[in-house]
């Protein structure tokens, strides 16, 4: 989560909008506490507790990062953890900014 928060704050990716979606049954206060504990300042909290969105996008594992272009078309899907601070990944992502 901290590297995802850093990615959202990256000024060279000014068209980037990250939606970190919680699919568990957690409450907003619990999610806010988690964000505070990890010092997450650049992400908003979203919930998909009935997993409606997860089903619609055929989510196959957690965590999953799905990247959409400006037209709303999926161009990449990463299943599993990733270091969003990785310079090679950031440079690749800049191609879609």
């Amino acid at each position: 989560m901290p590297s995802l928060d850093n990615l959202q704050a990256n000024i060279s990716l000014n068209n980037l909008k990250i939606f970190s979606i919680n699919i568990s049954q957690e409450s907003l206060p619990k999610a806010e506490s988690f964000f505070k504990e990890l010092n997450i300042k650049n992400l908003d909290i979203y919930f998909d507790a009935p997993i409606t969105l997860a089903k619609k996008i055929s989510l196959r594992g957690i965590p999953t990062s799905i990247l959409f272009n400006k037209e709303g078309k999926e161009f990449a899907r990463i299943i599993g953890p990733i270091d969003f601070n990785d310079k090679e990944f950031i440079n690749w992502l800049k191609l879609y900014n």
Side-chain angles (χ1 to χ4, degrees), residues 4-5 11 23 33 46 53 73 75 82 84:
L4 193 58
D5 191 55
I11 59 172
I23 62 170
S33 175
Y46 298 96
L53 179 61
K73 305 283 186 197
F75 69 88
I82 180 172
F84 293 103

Side-chain angles (χ1 to χ4, degrees), residues 1-7 63 65 78-93:
M1 287 295 288
S3 71
L4 193 58
D5 191 55
N6 290 339
L7 187 65
S65 302
I78 304 160
I79 300 172
I82 180 172
D83 179 6
F84 293 103
N85 289 322
D86 181 82
K87 291 187 186 338
E88 188 175 330
F89 174 76
I90 292 171
N91 287 334
W92 173 77
L93 197 54

Side-chain angles (χ1 to χ4, degrees), residues 26 50 58:
E26 293 176 0
S58 301

